[in-house]
Amino acid sequence: MAEQRIGTEVSVIGLGRMGAPIAAALLAAGHRTTVWNRTPEKAAPLVRAGAVHAPTVAAAVAASPLVIVPLLDYASVYEALGGAAPELAGRAVVNLTNGSPTQAREFADWAAGHGAAYVDGAMMGLPSTVGSRDAFFLYSGSQPAFDAHRPTLEVLATAHWFGPDPGLAEIQDLALLGTGYAALAGFLHSAALLREVGVPPGTFAPLAASWLRGMAAFLPELAAEAESGHYTEGVSTVDLNRAALGDLIHLTRTLGLDTAVHEPLKSLLDRRAGAGHGSDSFASLFEELRIRPGDRPDRPTG
């Protein structure tokens, strides 16, 4: 009977922006779902849908072999689970809180000290995409716990496993955020630029989305070059992109706008060209980005 419990009973601690959709998705999939929230009123719609409302975190933890925690930050997780520590033994805790790799590893040690199997997670999706294939979640930590509860976790979003180090999911999360932030900042800069010449952001967005889809299709080629370390066959060279970026920065200044989004990339391209790699492909910036600032021979002095 114990085997049948795995993946059928779940507790969700916190019903905020992502917690409520997570609980709703679990209910829709037929899981007996226990919920707790600091403000009990937020649990009412889920209770009407069939969830069990726990009056305390300890009661929520005790109700299920799998405890999912989508709170704001690690301080909130410690605060919530601290009082329920005696109930954690033998349970799997899946923490979907944003944080750093160090925080994930420290919390894994804390959870293990109380007898819990710990899985750290990162959510790549919006509340509206929870429970669909449009979202994916990243996991690392206790592989036995992840394997046992993977069918339940797949209800929330496609699950990607990265290994036993609890910090790996957070590293992957931050790397993906870095990719997205660069693209979003570039879009907003271009939208501001075009607004100056009378083009509304909404008019520009579909064209930008089409362009970004093409850029996404280019990623495997960049990755192959970076993995091989061979950059002589790419069609988009450092010098070609230096010129284009220089034109973009010039136009930005001409329109009186801020150049902060693209100046750092121009600096990287200039440095790469200055080191004799102007004819290498754009992907060769991978090598430039791997150089630690203190190891640069051309770093400023004084």
Side-chain angles (χ1 to χ4, degrees):
M1 293 298 293
E3 287 296 321
Q4 293 176 354
R5 287 168 57 86
I6 297 298
T8 60
E9 298 175 355
V10 191
S11 292
V12 179
I13 309 298
L15 301 175
R17 179 173 173 269
M18 295 296 281
I22 284 172
L26 292 167
L27 284 169
H31 292 279
R32 184 179 187 276
T33 305
T34 299
V35 297
W36 175 90
N37 193 71
R38 185 183 303 276
T39 306
E41 290 78 12
K42 286 189 176 181
L46 292 164
V47 171
R48 288 194 293 270
V52 177
H53 177 242
T56 65
V57 176
V61 171
S64 309
L66 174 61
V67 180
I68 297 177
V69 188
L71 292 173
L72 176 64
D73 53 31
Y74 276 82
S76 301
V77 178
Y78 280 111
E79 181 182 355
L81 294 185
E87 305 294 338
L88 291 173
R91 307 188 190 281
V93 174
V94 177
N95 183 16
L96 299 177
T97 302
N98 288 334
S100 70
T102 298
Q103 288 175 310
R105 291 165 184 146
E106 290 175 347
F107 193 81
D109 290 340
W110 182 88
H114 293 286
Y118 181 72
V119 176
D120 194 83
M123 301 178 285
M124 311 307 296
L126 299 171
S128 61
T129 64
V130 171
S132 75
R133 298 299 95 182
D134 293 330
F136 60 94
F137 288 7
L138 319 173
Y139 299 98
S140 61
S142 169
Q143 185 154 8
F146 175 76
D147 289 343
H149 295 288
R150 183 166 194 161
T152 301
L153 298 175
E154 289 276 4
V155 167
L156 308 180
T158 300
H160 295 277
W161 174 252
F162 291 99
D165 177 355
L168 289 176
E170 297 295 347
I171 293 173
Q172 290 281 341
D173 175 42
L174 293 171
L176 287 166
L177 288 175
T179 301
Y181 287 145
L184 293 176
F187 166 72
L188 292 173
H189 170 272
S190 295
L193 184 152
L194 287 171
R195 195 71 179 88
E196 293 297 307
V197 296
V199 179
T203 300
F204 176 58
L207 195 60
S210 178
W211 176 246
L212 287 175
R213 284 191 290 271
M215 293 292 97
F218 186 47
L219 293 182
E221 183 176 332
L222 291 179
E225 290 183 83
E227 286 186 11
S228 69
H230 299 301
Y231 304 107
T232 58
E233 297 181 3
V235 297
S236 183
T237 67
V238 168
D239 282 341
L240 179 66
N241 285 284
R242 282 178 69 217
L245 202 56
D247 291 338
L248 176 57
I249 291 171
H250 176 73
L251 175 61
T252 302
R253 288 197 182 110
T254 300
L255 294 174
L257 300 180
D258 198 323
T259 62
V261 169
H262 294 108
E263 288 282 7
L265 177 55
K266 179 64 162 56
S267 176
L268 282 170
L269 290 166
D270 288 344
R271 194 158 61 216
R272 191 69 183 159
H277 299 286
S279 62
D280 284 356
S281 74
F282 184 84
S284 71
L285 283 185
F286 176 74
E287 304 298 338
E288 195 67 31
L289 290 164
R290 295 180 67 207
I291 301 173
R292 289 170 171 80
D295 295 334
R296 298 191 187 283
D298 57 341
R299 73 182 192 277
T301 58

